[in-house]
Amino acid sequence: GENVEQHPSTLSVQEGDSAVIKCTYSDSASNYFPWYKQELGKRPQLIIDIRSNVGEKKDQRIAVTLNKTAKHFSLHITETQPEDSAVYFCAARVPGGGNKLTFGTGTQLKVEL
Amino acid sequence: KAGVTQTPRYLIKTRGQQVTLSCSPISGHRSVSWYQQTPGQGLQFLFEYFSETQRNKGNFPGRFSGRQFSNSRSEMNVSTLELGDSALYLCASSLIASGGTDTQYFGPGTRLTVL
């Protein structure tokens, strides 16, 4: 089945800096890649997603890039703020598997003042 | 629209007991997926229900089961609880118009503690 690896597991940046989180997937058929943000004690919330027919997508300070050849995708957060501190999860979905998402292990992002 | 809701929010059970968790999807959403979240294993897919039918199942033992009702509300049941079943159980709903796939929105989760 699909396997998703996520790096780094922890990331500490200074406020205003950029943060990059990387994920690789194993099944080349995967066609949907969402990113979720989970604050302590809260539910995971979708922050951005990308489909396999698109190489990059941007939403204000957040962007995701997809390299299908290398089977990896990345989350980029610019001008980080303290409220960006949370755990971020990447995920991948294989067609034909319904809505099943395979998640990465998460990245704890800490934005320091 | 109201978001995904889950009840109860917290549960404490002892080994050997069984438990039923409930999930109410966003109005109009027809797909409900369940995930188990633990510090060691992360988020793992349990199963998905669409139009009252199980559409996909993860690698969990048969003690984990679920169902979906005609109003799209879903329940999951865990029988013969083990200590390792302690986790946050999350459900996620999706609006699927044609039987395909769509964005998933998570509920707040049920925190299950097995003593």
Side-chain angles (χ1 to χ4, degrees):
Chain A
E2 173 69 289
N3 183 54
V4 177
E5 294 189 358
Q6 183 171 349
H7 300 280
S9 57
T10 61
L11 179 59
S12 186
V13 299
Q14 294 292 314
E15 183 180 8
D17 287 350
S18 295
V20 180
I21 302 171
K22 299 181 179 182
C23 289
T24 59
Y25 59 98
S26 61
D27 193 329
S28 57
S30 291
N31 64 354
Y32 175 66
F33 308 91
W35 286 87
Y36 286 86
K37 173 184 179 181
Q38 188 176 29
E39 297 176 75
L40 190 62
K42 301 281 185 67
R43 71 187 76 191
Q45 295 211 308
L46 180 74
I47 56 171
I48 196 167
D49 58 10
I50 192 167
R51 299 183 190 270
S52 58
N53 59 346
V54 176
E56 184 174 0
K57 184 176 178 180
K58 195 173 181 180
D59 183 4
Q60 299 183 341
R61 297 185 298 108
I62 294 173
V64 57
T65 58
L66 172 64
N67 183 326
K68 288 189 293 183
T69 303
K71 291 189 286 187
H72 71 69
F73 55 113
S74 301
L75 177 71
H76 304 253
I77 306 174
T78 59
E79 301 172 17
T80 53
Q81 301 166 2
E83 51 265 39
D84 294 329
S85 296
V87 179
Y88 291 81
F89 293 96
C90 63
R93 186 166 61 202
V94 179
N99 250 346
K100 175 184 176 180
L101 289 175
T102 300
F103 282 87
T105 48
T107 296
Q108 174 74 63
L109 173 64
K110 184 177 181 182
V111 180
E112 298 177 333
L113 296 172
Chain B
K1 280 185 179 178
V4 180
T5 58
Q6 292 186 244
T7 56
R9 294 294 311 280
Y10 303 92
L11 264 179
I12 299 176
K13 293 286 187 178
T14 57
R15 281 182 299 172
Q17 288 187 310
Q18 74 166 18
V19 66
T20 299
L21 314 181
S22 180
C23 172
S24 292
I26 293 171
S27 178
H29 285 198
R30 297 167 62 195
S31 165
V32 175
S33 298
W34 289 89
Y35 294 85
Q36 181 195 64
Q37 185 174 28
T38 59
Q41 299 297 318
L43 279 152
Q44 292 191 294
F45 174 81
L46 281 154
F47 29 64
E48 179 197 4
Y49 286 87
F50 174 69
S51 293
E52 302 178 63
T53 301
Q54 188 180 85
R55 192 154 79 142
N56 204 345
K57 190 177 189 306
N59 296 324
F60 280 82
R63 300 185 297 106
F64 291 82
S65 62
R67 59 177 176 169
Q68 186 179 35
F69 302 94
S70 58
N71 62 357
S72 293
R73 189 178 71 85
S74 177
E75 289 181 348
M76 68 164 280
N77 183 277
V78 188
S79 62
T80 320
L81 285 166
E82 300 178 359
L83 295 178
D85 297 333
S86 294
L88 180 67
Y89 290 88
L90 294 158
C91 76
S93 78
S94 302
L95 171 65
I96 298 179
S98 60
T101 58
D102 209 337
T103 302
Q104 293 185 54
Y105 299 91
F106 282 88
T110 294
R111 172 74 61 185
L112 172 65
T113 302
V114 181
L115 302 176

